[in-house]
Amino acid sequence: MHMNMPRRSIIYEGKAKVMFEGPEPGTHIMHFKDDATAFNNQKRGLITGKGVLNNRISEYIMNRLGEMSIPTHFIRSINMREQLVKAVDIIPLEVIIRNVAAGSLSKRLGIDEGKPLPRTIIEFCYKSDALGDPIVSEDHIISFGWAHIFELEEMKGLAYRVNDYLSGLFMGVGIRLVDFKIEFGRLVENDELRIVVADEISPDSCRLWDAKTNEKMDKDRFRRDMGGVEEAYREVARRLGVLEESEQQRASLRAVTPGSPPRKPSTKKK
Ligand code: TMP
Ligand code: ASP
């Protein structure tokens, strides 16, 4: 082994990411894999380039949230697949925000997918692979001690703020934020216990539909075997402006048919 490259110890390996010990105390390195799973691991696959795209997209979003004074675990980007984050104690809840009916809500309650919801809905799932991340109520959360009541209020407030901000951010690039899942972590900073946005925000954890065509630009393309998964993630990254220069050029080069006269890079895809 190279002396400058000590083997990093794995803190936790999940389905789509690996968490390593960071270079300084209180930090972790979050590594994004290309692996994809759905339906509690029953469906598995590989989406080439997904890790790189999700790393860039999530980094971009966390930075924007930070600018809005929404605290996150993000510290800085390390490389194409990795970011340095604050080590947090993950609260074992998936907080789901819904603006438009889709997915499990549509299934559970028989509401047509695509129907705008009269008001934003928040749901909580208890993070447990063994139980299949069951939906739970606020009373369950408090009673079973997964979060303190003040933490729950803090998470709800932050989740709504993230929704307001991201809905606008995505609408600005022609994408409807249908729903998304976020996770929170506890962190002690200056002797104070804080709640920060953790994990990732990416097309793996959001439903993103093209505002004009309603075309799906998220992990549902994988869950529902629709194909074009990597292309959809790439398009989200491109619209957010987070694709590397060379990637942009390659994408626009691909759009030029061989033999046709050179033209300006198109801003439209397909
Ligand atoms: P759902 O409709 O399947 O409950 O999903 C709601 C949102 O949460 C959707 O944007 C996808 C995201 N999600 C995750 O990030 N992880 C999960 O394990 C599940 C089930 C959903
Ligand atoms: N990621 C989850 C799983 O592996 C579910 C999903 O995103 O659909 O089961």
Side-chain angles (χ1 to χ4, degrees):
M1 201 192 301
H2 195 279
M3 262 183 49
N4 293 328
M5 289 183 60
R7 210 177 166 76
R8 296 183 299 193
S9 45
I10 293 182
I11 309 254
Y12 171 81
E13 175 147 16
K15 296 161 196 158
K17 296 189 294 292
V18 190
M19 201 69 103
F20 295 100
E21 199 79 66
E24 302 133 41
T27 65
H28 287 164
I29 291 169
M30 193 156 77
H31 176 106
F32 289 73
K33 303 189 280 186
D34 285 347
D35 301 69
T37 68
F39 315 116
N40 203 14
N41 240 341
Q42 291 178 50
K43 182 183 175 77
R44 292 154 188 261
L46 208 68
I47 303 166
T48 317
K50 174 173 84 85
V52 173
L53 292 164
N54 279 357
N55 180 40
R56 300 285 291 123
I57 293 169
S58 196
E59 171 199 337
Y60 176 79
I61 291 176
M62 295 291 178
N63 273 324
R64 295 292 81 75
L65 294 180
E67 289 167 6
M68 300 301 297
S69 304
I70 295 173
T72 80
H73 70 159
F74 182 83
I75 302 174
R76 65 180 156 84
S77 160
I78 296 179
N79 58 46
M80 298 280 278
R81 281 184 187 273
E82 295 176 325
Q83 46 186 254
L84 188 69
V85 299
K86 295 175 184 168
V88 300
D89 169 25
I90 289 282
I91 294 172
L93 296 171
E94 298 199 330
V95 179
I96 295 166
I97 291 272
R98 301 180 184 273
N99 300 305
V100 175
S104 70
L105 176 112
S106 291
K107 214 170 174 179
R108 201 169 351 106
L109 304 178
I111 297 167
D112 285 345
E113 195 155 86
K115 197 174 156 65
L117 295 166
R119 50 174 282 174
T120 300
I121 288 177
I122 191 162
E123 293 175 353
F124 307 93
C125 293
Y126 175 53
K127 271 167 70 77
S128 161
D129 282 341
L131 300 174
D133 300 343
I135 187 165
V136 293
S137 72
E138 295 191 18
D139 272 356
H140 292 144
I141 295 170
I142 305 304
S143 299
F144 300 120
W146 298 321
H148 190 280
I149 193 156
F150 78 80
E151 294 176 321
L152 182 59
E153 290 308 319
E154 179 83 10
M155 288 189 283
K156 285 166 65 178
L158 287 170
Y160 285 125
R161 280 180 66 201
V162 169
N163 183 49
D164 284 346
Y165 179 69
L166 287 189
S167 292
L169 178 85
F170 279 116
M171 199 38 80
V173 296
I175 294 174
R176 179 169 296 121
L177 180 61
V178 170
D179 58 31
F180 65 95
K181 180 267 299 182
I182 45 173
E183 297 185 22
F184 294 92
R186 296 183 186 98
L187 173 69
V188 177
E189 236 168 38
N190 308 323
D191 278 338
E192 226 183 291
L193 183 67
R194 299 180 64 205
I195 302 286
V196 302
V197 176
D199 194 54
E200 72 183 289
I201 301 180
S202 73
D204 267 14
S205 61
C206 303
R207 282 199 175 88
L208 305 169
W209 295 359
D210 183 276
K212 282 208 190 98
T213 65
N214 281 338
E215 197 185 342
K216 296 187 198 313
M217 305 175 71
D218 56 62
K219 195 173 158 190
D220 270 348
R221 301 198 73 89
F222 169 75
R223 296 189 189 96
R224 303 177 189 192
D225 294 318
M226 298 170 74
V229 191
E230 193 216 334
E231 291 77 3
Y233 281 47
R234 190 169 291 278
E235 177 64 9
V236 172
R238 192 192 67 78
R239 289 198 198 177
L240 292 174
V242 302
L243 273 190
E244 299 295 325
E245 192 84 336
S246 57
E247 292 276 350
Q248 295 261 24
Q249 280 163 0
R250 255 192 289 157
S252 63
L253 276 177
R254 270 203 299 270
V256 179
T257 44
S260 65
R263 54 170 195 185
K264 280 206 188 128
S266 163
T267 46
K268 259 200 213 139
K269 209 187 155 204
K270 274 170 231 157

